[in-house]
Amino acid sequence: MSIMASRPVPRDDASWRRRRLGLFSVCLAALLLPICFSGGAVATPAIGAALHGSALEMRWITSAFMLAFGGCLMAAGACADAFGRKRIFLLGVGCLLLTSLALAFSRSALAVDWLRALQGVSAAATLAGGGASLAQDFDGHARARAYGLLGTTFGVGLAFGPLLAGLLIVRFGWQGVFAATAVVAALALVIGTRGMRESRDPAATGLDWPGTLSFTGALASFTYGVIQAPALGATAPEVIGALAFAVVLAVAFVAIERRVAHPMLDLTLFRYVRFIGVQLLPVATSCCYIVLLVLLPLRFIGVHGDSEVTAGLRMTALSLPMLVVPFVATQLARRIPSGVLCSTGLVLAAAGLAWLARTVGAPDTGVLCPALWPMLLIGAGSAMPWGLMDGLSVSVVPTDRAGMAMGIFNTTRVASEGVMLALVGAVLIALIGAQLPDMPGAVAPDVAREAVNRLVAGDMHGAMARAPAWGEAALRSAYEHAFATLLDRLAIVTLLCAIVVFACLSGKTRSGATDTADLGEPSTDTATP
């Protein structure tokens, strides 16, 4: 035994151990990201009750995270290539640790909002640096297995994040969600420091600052205007100014990206019809899946009065299919065209949304409520394109442009989630306002807006305190009718996305390297759009 213990470890074994440590660190960080998203939604009612935040401050708890995440993801990828993937990953995880600790000790809802935005920036750096580092440490089948494990870890976070958040809130209060995040981030930081290898792209041109600032500014201004509109009124100068500024910045972004030598976003990729179809997939899954990860916990906890644990258990019905169905979809894609599978999944999700709308208002029977079956169908349908769209994002463009395509896709995915959350929240507020009885003199317009905003943020008690003339029964009835209408509209949008995705992605599938003939281009090795 002593001889074996003193024998030096072979060089290859040492390298493999280091790479496994690096993979473990990235997977730990990936586990945190969906928990940061869904855990914040579950904790929102408790944060609002403890810190007495306004309705707008409560809505920004999730939107600030998603906005910063989506707006900074592509810039973080460029920084990782230029300054080092390990360095950006460790910087992201370290900031995730610090912001999570600061969130646990926050004493105002406004501070929580700003820290959640910083947490989103940290998440972007973590994902960009960690994902890029795996591509340098693994190749061939090992790389496929590494990314498969990364996706599975992300799915575990989605599936059990709400339940874990609920358990932590019941045991430690809302601070427990962020304290637990800090502990896991610290573990990922220590392991990543030891196990990851530094790498960078020697040909990297650095960050496209004009493009980054204009894109992030447009996204932030649009989201701000949409979220502020229900509280201030759609015609308020602040709202109109924010939306107009978003349009100006969006136009400037397109002009900048068309002129710079090394753009952050290569707009010519949108000449590929199949590439456009792939970009619709995260938009569709945002409509039918991501928004429900936020709206349903607020409904269960804030409007129905369920405990955080009960809400977390119910949410597993929505996310549990993410652990199995993506793998099944990748196996089916060997025999069935990916476009057919993706559009079929979206049709199933749309049917689940319509079914869920029919269960709104049905009597609850504890954890096993009537909504569980349609939630399972929505989760299973959403998981089919979820398991395929990452691979499709790089397979529908020429091979030499795959990296840019992946960056655009990830940005579209996260940015669309943040924008969709803001839009759906605004629509739900408008629908509730239309359902409530008009009581001139009893409920002033500004008071009514604040009450409805609080209701959507999961604060039934705050809504009743602002507008006692309506009463709990009227508020709950208006919410349920509006929620059912919203689900029907989301089902229609998802179904339309399924039709467009099928039209864009129909045709031959490929099993090997990118074939530009499938993109509607001449079948040549150097084809350009």
Side-chain angles (χ1 to χ4, degrees), residues 299 304 314 356-365 369-371 480:
R299 177 173 175 254
H304 288 186
R314 289 180 174 181
L356 183 61
R358 309 283 90 78
T359 68
V360 171
D364 283 347
T365 55
C369 63
E480 296 290 50

Side-chain angles (χ1 to χ4, degrees), residues 80-81 83-87 132-133 136 197-201:
D81 287 340
F83 306 118
R85 284 110 184 186
K86 177 180 179 179
R87 179 177 299 173
S133 69
Q136 308 306 311
R197 177 177 60 89
E198 185 60 282
S199 64
R200 57 175 55 87
D201 181 4

Side-chain angles (χ1 to χ4, degrees), residues 5 17 38 66-67 97 114 118 146 173 186 191 203 211 278 280 307-308 317 329 332 334 363 372 386 461 485:
R17 291 177 183 176
S38 59
M66 294 306 299
L67 174 62
L97 165 62
W114 282 107
L118 291 176
I191 297 175
V278 172
L280 273 179
S307 70
E308 286 84 0
L332 291 175
R334 298 178 179 179
L372 290 189
W386 192 282
H461 296 296
T485 303

Side-chain angles (χ1 to χ4, degrees), residues 164-522:
L164 177 61
L167 292 170
L168 289 169
I169 292 170
V170 169
R171 181 66 179 85
F172 303 105
W174 62 268
Q175 296 93 338
V177 176
F178 301 113
T181 301
V183 171
V184 179
L187 183 60
L189 183 64
V190 171
I191 297 175
T193 302
R194 292 188 57 190
M196 295 183 70
R197 177 177 60 89
E198 185 60 282
S199 64
R200 57 175 55 87
D201 181 4
T205 57
L207 186 60
D208 172 19
W209 283 108
T212 299
L213 293 176
S214 56
F215 174 79
T216 305
L219 188 63
S221 296
F222 181 78
T223 305
Y224 179 82
V226 170
I227 289 180
Q228 294 289 109
L232 303 178
T235 59
E238 185 177 337
V239 174
I240 295 176
L243 296 178
F245 190 50
V247 173
V248 171
L249 288 176
V251 172
F253 172 72
V254 173
I256 290 168
E257 296 306 285
R258 292 181 65 180
R259 285 170 171 79
V260 297
H262 301 284
M264 181 181 78
L265 187 151
D266 187 354
L267 297 174
T268 60
L269 287 175
F270 287 92
R271 296 179 184 178
Y272 296 107
V273 174
R274 290 172 66 86
F275 184 74
I276 295 174
V278 172
Q279 304 315 303
L280 273 179
L281 291 175
V283 175
T285 53
S286 295
C287 288
C288 62
Y289 178 71
I290 295 297
V291 295
L292 296 184
L293 290 176
V294 175
L295 292 181
L296 286 177
L298 295 178
R299 177 173 175 254
F300 291 146
I301 299 169
V303 179
H304 288 186
D306 296 332
S307 70
E308 286 84 0
V309 175
T310 299
L313 285 170
R314 289 180 174 181
M315 291 302 296
T316 57
L318 183 68
S319 297
L320 208 56
M322 285 291 174
L323 295 178
V324 179
V325 176
F327 174 77
V328 175
T330 57
Q331 300 304 307
L332 291 175
R334 298 178 179 179
R335 299 176 178 83
I336 303 173
S338 296
V340 174
L341 287 173
C342 290
S343 56
T344 299
L346 293 178
V347 169
L348 291 175
L353 287 167
W355 185 7
L356 183 61
R358 309 283 90 78
T359 68
V360 171
D364 283 347
T365 55
V367 174
L368 299 175
C369 63
L372 290 189
W373 294 111
M375 287 169 65
L376 274 171
L377 181 59
I378 294 169
S382 303
M384 290 179 69
W386 192 282
L388 298 172
M389 54 190 182
D390 288 276
L392 283 171
S393 68
V394 296
S395 68
V396 297
V397 298
T399 304
D400 60 349
R401 308 176 80 177
M404 174 64 75
M406 189 66 175
I408 294 174
F409 172 77
N410 282 329
T411 300
T412 301
R413 169 189 275 177
V414 183
S416 65
E417 291 170 359
V419 170
M420 197 60 62
L421 283 172
L423 287 172
V424 167
V427 170
L428 182 58
I429 289 171
L431 291 173
I432 293 173
Q435 290 288 334
L436 287 167
D438 189 14
M439 303 178 69
V443 182
D446 56 337
V447 174
R449 283 197 296 266
E450 174 67 13
V452 174
N453 271 270
R454 284 193 170 274
L455 188 60
V456 172
D459 185 9
M460 171 65 81
H461 296 296
M464 291 170 55
R466 294 299 188 281
W470 275 326
E472 182 177 355
L475 287 170
R476 180 172 283 110
S477 175
Y479 183 95
E480 296 290 50
H481 281 90
F483 195 79
T485 303
L486 175 67
L487 291 173
D488 281 332
R489 294 186 180 183
L490 289 174
I492 293 172
V493 173
T494 304
L495 188 59
L496 291 174
C497 288
I499 295 172
V500 177
V501 165
F502 179 77
C504 291
L505 297 182
S506 60
K508 295 186 299 180
T509 60
R510 299 185 308 280
S511 58
T514 301
D515 180 5
T516 52
D518 279 340
L519 307 175
E521 299 295 323

